[in-house]
Amino acid sequence: MRAQQRNADTALAKGLGWFSIGLGLAELGAPTSVARLIGVHDDDGARNLLRTYGLREVANGVAILGTGGGDAEWLWTRVAGDVLDLATMGSALRRNTGANARKIAVGMASVAGVLVADVIAAQRVAGDSGRANVFEMRPRQRTSIRVSKTFTINAAPDEVYSFWRQLDNLPRFMRHLESVEPLGGRISHWVARGPAGVRVEWDAEMIEDSPQRISWRSLERADVPNSGTVDFTPAPGGRGTELRVRLQYDPPGGKAGKWFARLFGEEPAQQLYDDLRRVKSLIETGEIPQTPGRSSVVHPAQPHAGRRRAAGGRR
Amino acid sequence: MRATCWMGTRNVQVRSVPDPQILNPRDAIVRVTSTAICGSDVHLYDGFIPTMQRGDVLGHEFMGEVVEVGEAVGNLHVGDRVVVPFPIACGHCNMCEREMYSLCENSNPNASMAEQLWGYSPCGIFGYSHMLGGYAGGQAEYVRVPFADVGPLKVPDHLEDEQVLFLSDILPTGYMAAENCNIQPGDIVAVWGCGPVGQFAIKSAYLLGAERVIGIDRFEYRMRIARERAGAETINYEETDVWDAIREMTGGRGADACIDAVGMEAHAANAWHIYDKAKTMMFMETERGAALRQAIMCVRNGGHVSIAGVYGGFMDKFPIGAIVNRSLTIKSGQTHVHRYMRPLLERIEAGDIDPRFIITHRMNLSDAPTGYEIFRDKEDECLKVVLKP
């Protein structure tokens, strides 16, 4: 999924690189025609300026193609160039009227359109590479979420492993998981509910499966790409098993998606923590402790009218 | 059913609420025959405990008859007469297996809340705020009892309710407080607070071999009961300097062990009271720890301070210097009731202790609001209120 996206983004960048070269060559080789096309008065000053801009465009295009479309910095320089072009044409617009003014305006609209494309390309490429770049106000960070939590369970490691390995046990304690369906071999199909009840699905492949460790990764076309590891380690002094879960996932919408989830009170580390507390209770006592109203401090500590028996306590 | 509900600070009402249902396979439903108001309920009443919600059902000292059992409860049947311990324990976590039942790892569904305040969470408790599980309590007609195969203790028919009710909380609490003193032959134990827990702590200290037990309070009727029914020597802290008196009574050594059976709403006869009261009212301190400070000062070098009183958060001006420089041991905890119920029942049956001596008032559940008032304000020589639904 990520590879596909990266390819699309560099393709866009390279396209803009070729456009730069084409436009630059036109400005260098035929400044008079370009000036007339955009409605600017065709004098020596204008032609020289256009040649200078042409040089800039060609250099920029070469730089983009030379870095394989993967360096956001050269896309940001395109943006700077677009801004310069717009400024120049803006002042020309003020000095012109009639048909010329209309031409300039059309030219400006075209540049504005290219400007938008440049900005999008720059952001995408910057996001893919995860590196800071000089033209951004703040460093761009990876939008993957990583959480890791540990719990000690008073049961032998192979008992805990067997419980976890039985995939249809997982929705009993993982609050967001609706179902896990083995599809044969090491592949399984997962359905979960994200914030605001949005349904997400993916196929996952178990990469490692031993009583000491289970690890998996989602396959292509996952709604939410994810991977993780579960370790089953003996706890010291006969205390049972140290269960350690490490998860990584890319929420849809990148960083915006992360904040969207927080708005709904969904904190990934806390979720995992609560899920593990529940699996501990399930394995040690056979049930999950519950009081009506769950963990919110919204409902009074009273018997809940009309609630049906919920063995295993999922929900 | 009727239940005593917390409706705000100093506002409890008996209201009609839904009957409890079995939610988990190891639950049981108990019809309450007797229940009591605890000193720690007063902290809820006075608004000192956070995460209370309007409408919460109170009460953690209760007993009664089993009327329904979940499918996974094998050792309890409908009709059994049981006393229910106030901490809820699963029996299968590391802590329960080590008999530290009030630290059960599986009974607090709101454990994360408690972790914010205390680092880790203790067990869930009946009727004692959402931070400790949000369980509906036992000052009601019926209660849902989780892990009913572990907690409830069957009691013989020849013992009446009032003889065994206090196995649910305060008798084991007084006993564990005394046990935490590591009492040796010849020891002199001082107990701050002659309330119900203090009375049982005094009795337990004697049972555990203390030479002399001193009870400290300011209400004459409580000190009289401590002298006449529990065998203590008493000090009125409003009339006597406690540190001087204890020093004299112990040959200049100090008390071998001190028990704080007062807790977070301590009253003091000196400037400490003004300090603590002002600070708690301004929310700059969460407890009034005057009794605990004094206990630490009065214990001998190398002695034990056993904290039975309930505290919730962060006390101000804590004498850490005294502890560090004098090799003191501090022991505390919510009572591991399950550990003590059977041995103490045997003591009751053998006549070593008759817990009924602390009961001063009996009322119908509907009069619970009055019960809270007179218990809190120590009116009408109130020591312990027992409610009957």
Side-chain angles (χ1 to χ4, degrees), chain A residues 154 239 270 273-274 277 280-281 284-285 287-291 294-295 297-303 305 307 309-310, chain B residues 18 20 23-26 53-57 92-94 97 105-106 110-113 115 130 133-134 136 144:
Chain A
N154 189 18
R239 288 174 176 82
Q270 185 64 49
Y273 200 52
D274 290 342
R277 194 187 293 282
K280 174 197 162 72
S281 292
E284 288 182 2
T285 72
E287 41 183 74
I288 292 170
Q290 51 176 319
T291 45
R294 263 205 307 208
S295 62
V297 196
V298 173
H299 302 275
Q302 286 183 9
R307 194 184 162 103
R309 178 192 305 221
Chain B
L23 293 182
N24 271 340
R26 292 170 64 188
Q53 200 65 25
R54 221 177 113 88
D56 285 349
V57 176
H92 295 103
C93 60
N94 265 313
E97 287 188 351
E105 299 162 357
N106 291 312
N110 299 336
S112 298
M113 242 189 251
E115 283 182 352
H130 287 262
R144 174 178 77 101

Side-chain angles (χ1 to χ4, degrees), chain A residues 17-254:
Chain A
W18 283 114
F19 171 77
S20 253
I21 290 175
L23 178 61
L25 287 173
E27 286 173 327
L28 270 172
T32 312
S33 308
V34 173
R36 283 193 194 142
L37 186 67
I38 63 175
V40 169
H41 184 62
D42 173 27
D43 59 22
D44 279 333
R47 281 195 298 270
N48 283 332
L49 189 63
L50 275 171
R51 285 195 190 97
T52 317
Y53 283 9
L55 211 56
R56 180 201 84 209
E57 290 279 1
V58 170
N60 207 157
V62 167
I64 289 172
L65 293 175
T67 53
D71 195 329
E73 195 173 326
W74 297 118
L75 290 157
W76 287 116
T77 53
R78 280 224 85 249
V79 171
D82 292 334
V83 170
L84 186 59
D85 290 345
L86 281 171
T88 314
M89 290 164 88
S91 62
L93 187 61
R94 275 196 291 279
R95 283 177 277 124
N96 277 270
T97 54
N100 278 342
R102 272 197 299 280
K103 278 186 185 172
I104 295 172
V106 166
M108 283 180 79
S110 310
V111 175
V114 174
L115 171 67
V116 169
D118 287 331
V119 169
I120 288 175
Q123 283 192 324
R124 284 204 180 148
V125 170
D128 287 336
S129 68
R131 275 186 292 125
N133 84 64
V134 299
F135 288 97
E136 291 215 56
M137 286 295 126
R138 55 183 170 79
R140 184 153 296 265
Q141 279 158 8
R142 284 185 194 281
T143 51
S144 285
I145 291 174
R146 286 204 170 103
V147 288
S148 171
K149 289 291 173 191
T150 304
F151 252 97
T152 295
I153 301 181
N154 189 18
D158 40 288
E159 201 185 316
V160 181
Y161 161 80
S162 302
F163 188 87
W164 194 286
R165 186 61 183 83
Q166 177 106 354
L167 295 181
D168 53 25
N169 275 332
L170 300 183
R172 291 171 70 191
F173 61 89
M174 294 183 142
R175 203 155 75 89
H176 290 287
L177 213 48
E178 267 195 10
S179 66
V180 184
E181 199 197 316
L183 295 179
R186 298 189 139 198
I187 315 286
S188 47
H189 184 73
W190 298 55
V191 180
R193 291 241 170 237
V198 172
R199 186 185 157 106
V200 293
E201 297 184 59
W202 66 90
D203 288 333
E205 178 194 0
M206 208 172 295
I207 309 169
E208 203 177 331
D209 181 11
S210 77
Q212 288 80 44
R213 171 180 288 191
I214 293 174
S215 69
W216 74 90
R217 66 164 167 246
S218 59
L219 301 178
E220 286 118 32
R221 288 181 291 112
D223 286 341
V224 181
N226 66 85
S227 61
T229 305
V230 184
D231 286 300
F232 309 92
T233 315
R239 288 174 176 82
T241 305
E242 286 181 10
L243 175 72
R244 181 159 171 243
V245 179
R246 284 170 286 172
L247 285 185
Q248 177 179 314
Y249 62 99
D250 299 331

Side-chain angles (χ1 to χ4, degrees), chain B residues 316-334:
Chain B
D316 211 17
K317 299 292 179 290
F318 185 71
I320 185 72
I323 294 168
V324 165
N325 285 289
R326 295 171 49 217
S327 302
L328 301 185
T329 299
I330 311 277
K331 293 201 82 170
S332 192
Q334 288 283 5

